[in-house]
Amino acid sequence: MTSLSLSGISAPVSRLALGTMLYGSSIATADAFALLDDFLAGGGTMLDTANGYAGWLPNGAGQSEITVGQWIKQTGVRDQVVVATKGGQPRHPNRTVRASPEHLTADLMQSLDRLQLPSVDLYWFHRDNLALPVAELMDWAWAQMDAGYFNTIGASNWTTARMAEATELARTLGRPAFVGSQVGWSLMESRQDGIADNSLVHMDANEFAGYLSSRLPVFAYQAQARGFFTKAKRQSETHLKRYDTPLNHARLQKVDEISHRTGWTQNQIALAWFWQQPFPAIPVIGARTRDQLQDSLAAMAIELDPSDWGQLTHPLP
């Protein structure tokens, strides 16, 4: 599997990240272990979890981190994987902002305890807090790095403008900057009126321009459009509302044409689209079954024809 190197992380970062949101809750622990085993065997290294994952499910709070930690301890593969977790996620149902040093510290300590690890490779601010200066949040991150709790810091659901402030501050002070960003991004662009949580940041023209300038690696969540590329999901009214745009319909038609011509699945094409972006792009996949995971892993061997990629990215009206 193709990988990239991130400063401060010793293991190679696979160009697919495995999202573990439902591991240990909707996805039983034994099934989650099998998925983790398959991901590692397929060349995957990047594991994505978070303190707040599945907290909206009965008995789901913390299970993702607990399951990942148990698997690492059982298999002894700590040096082979990149462990990334996040803190500061708003809690359901009121979604109150929690990206403050106090909440972040509590989340971090709880996450390390659940993972049974003294530190993680990458820690993400799960949300931004626009009421706080960037400097206050970065000071918190640098203090935790100095204490040895994580090696690198990333921004999830931050705008490129706020990240640019953090980058300039880090440059001025000679301190570590963000090594990556997490935003919602897919070949199927999301309509804003289909996104219930307004604290989430999705790729748009302004954000894309920011990444063209910074070349910061982007870890794209909902990279497979929540399964929208599969024909069954296309019939879902919820998904249709979110992705129902002329641009998306044109792209979907092209995806189907490429699939028919090549034999690749629609989801594989949607993932392969990321490999040719002008800056590093790492899709976060949310495979729930081993078949789904193998389908995604196989996408790593796909290289889209430049003409196909161009037509997917800029379809004719």
Side-chain angles (χ1 to χ4, degrees):
M1 175 181 283
T2 304
S3 61
L4 72 155
S5 176
L6 290 182
S7 177
I9 298 178
S10 57
V13 177
S14 56
R15 295 298 295 272
L16 281 178
L18 183 62
T20 65
M21 179 185 294
L22 301 178
Y23 286 16
S25 54
S26 295
I27 299 174
T29 299
D31 294 333
F33 278 17
L35 289 166
L36 289 160
D37 288 342
D38 288 354
F39 185 64
L40 183 63
T45 63
M46 184 74 190
L47 305 180
D48 180 81
T49 185
N51 180 274
Y53 276 170
W56 53 92
L57 296 176
N59 302 314
Q63 289 305 310
S64 174
E65 291 176 319
I66 290 169
T67 301
V68 169
Q70 289 175 340
W71 176 78
I72 290 172
K73 184 175 182 179
Q74 178 176 299
T75 56
V77 297
R78 178 65 187 93
D79 61 342
Q80 300 177 48
V81 295
V82 179
V83 181
T85 194
K86 300 182 280 292
Q89 181 182 10
R91 295 295 191 246
H92 290 255
N94 58 14
R95 300 186 187 277
T96 302
V97 174
R98 297 181 60 260
S100 66
E102 179 183 7
H103 285 120
L104 288 163
T105 298
D107 283 2
L108 172 62
M109 295 300 107
Q110 187 177 51
S111 292
L112 294 176
D113 183 61
R114 290 168 173 172
L115 288 162
Q116 303 180 68
L117 295 174
S119 65
V120 293
D121 299 297
L122 171 57
Y123 196 76
W124 302 94
F125 290 112
H126 207 159
R127 297 291 197 280
D128 195 0
N129 185 346
L130 299 178
L132 295 180
V134 165
E136 184 171 342
L137 293 169
M138 295 306 292
D139 283 343
W140 175 87
W142 293 327
Q144 310 317 307
M145 295 173 75
D146 291 344
Y149 293 128
F150 49 83
N151 299 333
T152 58
I153 185 68
S156 179
N157 296 298
W158 281 44
T159 64
T160 52
R162 285 274 285 185
M163 286 187 289
E165 288 186 50
T167 299
E168 179 59 23
L169 180 65
R171 186 196 64 78
T172 300
L173 299 178
R175 298 293 278 162
F178 289 134
V179 298
S181 170
Q182 273 199 10
V183 295
W185 187 21
S186 167
L187 179 58
M188 297 288 103
E189 296 184 1
S190 295
R191 283 173 40 174
Q192 192 60 42
D193 61 358
I195 303 171
D197 186 348
N198 61 12
S199 70
L200 300 176
V201 174
H202 283 70
M203 187 69 80
D204 60 19
N206 288 334
E207 294 303 305
F208 193 87
Y211 291 114
L212 276 177
S213 176
S214 70
R215 302 290 166 169
L216 189 68
V218 177
F219 292 75
Y221 64 81
Q222 296 178 1
Q224 293 163 298
R226 305 176 75 182
F228 185 70
F229 292 97
T230 63
K231 290 184 179 180
K233 285 290 186 180
R234 294 182 203 179
Q235 307 307 313
S236 165
E237 291 183 4
T238 301
H239 284 73
L240 281 174
K241 178 181 178 181
R242 182 167 184 166
Y243 301 114
D244 186 14
T245 69
L247 174 63
N248 285 340
H249 286 298
R251 286 176 167 174
L252 197 55
Q253 184 176 4
K254 182 62 181 178
V255 167
D256 287 343
E257 184 269 312
I258 297 171
S259 177
H260 180 75
R261 170 162 37 93
T262 63
W264 300 330
T265 68
Q266 285 87 348
N267 277 322
Q268 289 171 345
I269 295 165
L271 292 175
W273 176 75
F274 284 100
W275 314 147
Q276 288 155 270
Q277 294 297 329
F279 45 81
I282 302 91
V284 182
I285 58 173
R288 299 192 180 201
T289 69
R290 299 178 77 177
D291 285 344
Q292 289 176 351
L293 178 59
Q294 292 303 322
D295 179 79
S296 294
L297 290 172
M300 290 301 302
I302 293 175
E303 182 176 351
L304 292 173
D305 180 272
S307 175
D308 286 337
W309 188 87
Q311 291 179 55
L312 284 174
T313 307
H314 307 290
L316 294 174

